[in-house]
Amino acid sequence: MKKRNIGRNILYVILVGYAIITLIPFLWALSSSFKTLEEIVSGSMNFIPKDFTFDNYKTIFVEQELFPRWLFNSVFIATVATALNLIFNSMAGYALARLSFPGEKALFVTILAVLMIPAQVTMIPNYLILKELGWLNSYQGMIAPSMINATFIFMMRQFFINFPKELEEAASIDGLNRFGIFFKVVLPLARPALAAQTIFVFMGLWNDFMRPLIVLSDPNLFTLPLGLNTFKGQYISYWNYIMAASMVFTLPVLLIYAFFNKYFIKGISFTGGK
């Protein structure tokens, strides 16, 4: 018992230490968002600003006219693409788990093969396809290539394989067809898997820098990661504005995680009679 308590205490110390190491950069960035540029570049590591100011936030929202537009672009693209991922990835995963059709195994093997291909390899082909379609510098050029994800198709397939068939059979006896069973019975009970998918997909889209850099050249269509880069010049970088914008950039991710966290960590106990 004593050895177990010692091991647990050591684990807590390690976790607390890791949490502090992870939290310090965020706290410094939060503090710097209320500092002047002169104080930031002075090299001092104080967490309490000497000259506390809201001017950085005022500047990015009022004087930087495109910042609200960048924020809207990021929210719109990430939200729409995440919603499409939830629908299409779940439908594809359910089809692979429950339906039998010609080429089923070949399709599944293809999805597994896609998982092994680095995203960097497909950047140029994606760009050329979007160019031929005339979708460069457009919302659809950002959303369409991101609306499905092989990783989460595989994840949803594994989830639905373990989903109790008794619930679907009971719904079928009640008169529901395949679409009714999926949308009215299966999907509502897949909330933990959908929540995990929402968090990871949204964060990936929200933080994406490379795709917007390749697809977008119109500043009015920039997302926040791409827009933040404009605060960095050849001779000077406005770190006070970058830190303030980074805090605004972080807020939606925190809200998404806070909202879906209860589903993300919550397991569902399935039984035949539940």
Side-chain angles (χ1 to χ4, degrees):
M1 183 64 69
K2 290 184 178 180
K3 291 183 178 180
R4 182 179 300 177
N5 290 335
I6 293 174
R8 182 179 299 176
N9 292 335
I10 293 174
L11 178 61
Y12 286 157
V13 170
I14 294 174
L15 292 176
V16 170
Y18 179 77
I20 292 174
I21 293 173
T22 305
L23 196 59
I24 284 177
F26 175 79
L27 293 177
W28 185 87
L30 178 62
S31 171
S32 298
S33 69
F34 298 104
K35 296 178 181 178
T36 61
L37 178 62
E38 291 76 14
E39 184 177 354
I40 294 175
V41 298
S42 67
S44 61
M45 286 298 294
N46 56 305
F47 286 88
I48 300 177
K50 296 178 181 178
D51 298 315
F52 192 91
T53 178
F54 285 99
D55 288 345
N56 299 329
Y57 290 93
K58 179 181 177 182
T59 299
I60 63 174
F61 277 106
V62 178
E63 298 182 18
Q64 176 53 266
E65 298 178 354
L66 289 178
F67 185 81
R69 181 61 186 266
W70 297 339
L71 180 60
F72 167 79
N73 292 339
S74 287
V75 171
F76 178 76
I77 292 171
T79 301
V80 173
T82 299
L84 292 173
N85 267 272
L86 292 177
I87 295 173
F88 293 134
N89 294 342
S90 300
M91 293 179 70
Y94 182 76
L96 290 171
R98 285 289 189 265
L99 304 182
S100 297
F101 53 89
E104 173 191 356
K105 292 184 178 179
L107 179 59
F108 181 61
V109 171
T110 302
I111 292 174
L112 294 179
V114 170
L115 294 177
M116 304 175 192
I117 300 176
Q120 292 81 357
V121 174
T122 61
M123 285 181 180
I124 294 178
N126 280 336
Y127 174 84
L128 295 176
I129 292 172
L130 293 175
K131 182 180 179 181
E132 290 297 320
L133 293 173
W135 284 3
L136 295 178
N137 270 319
S138 65
Y139 288 127
Q140 61 266 31
M142 286 294 300
I143 294 172
S146 306
M147 65 184 185
I148 58 172
N149 188 300
T151 300
F152 295 103
I153 291 176
F154 176 77
M155 186 192 80
M156 296 307 296
R157 175 189 179 272
Q158 298 306 110
F159 177 84
F160 290 132
I161 283 178
N162 297 315
F163 191 88
K165 292 184 178 181
E166 292 83 358
L167 295 176
E168 298 175 64
E169 293 170 356
S172 178
I173 293 174
D174 289 339
L176 289 179
N177 57 21
R178 180 65 70 176
F179 280 97
I181 292 172
F182 177 74
F183 284 106
K184 294 183 179 181
V185 177
V186 176
L187 209 57
L189 291 174
R191 282 180 295 181
L194 294 176
Q197 187 179 170
T198 299
I199 292 173
F200 290 123
V201 172
F202 185 89
M203 288 181 62
L205 294 166
W206 185 258
N207 294 324
D208 191 12
F209 176 80
M210 189 58 66
R211 187 186 298 275
L213 181 64
I214 294 174
V215 176
L216 305 175
S217 58
D218 183 0
N220 288 294
L221 293 173
F222 281 3
T223 56
L224 272 178
L226 198 57
L228 290 180
N229 198 50
T230 62
F231 290 120
K232 297 176 64 177
Q234 183 177 359
Y235 301 105
I236 184 172
S237 296
Y238 295 95
W239 292 108
N240 51 332
Y241 302 148
I242 293 174
M243 293 299 103
S246 297
M247 292 300 102
V248 177
F249 179 71
T250 305
L251 184 60
V253 176
L254 293 178
L255 293 176
I256 286 289
Y257 183 78
F259 181 78
F260 287 102
N261 184 49
K262 61 181 179 180
Y263 299 111
F264 181 66
I265 64 176
K266 179 182 178 182
I268 284 186
S269 176
F270 289 114
T271 62
K274 186 172 181 179

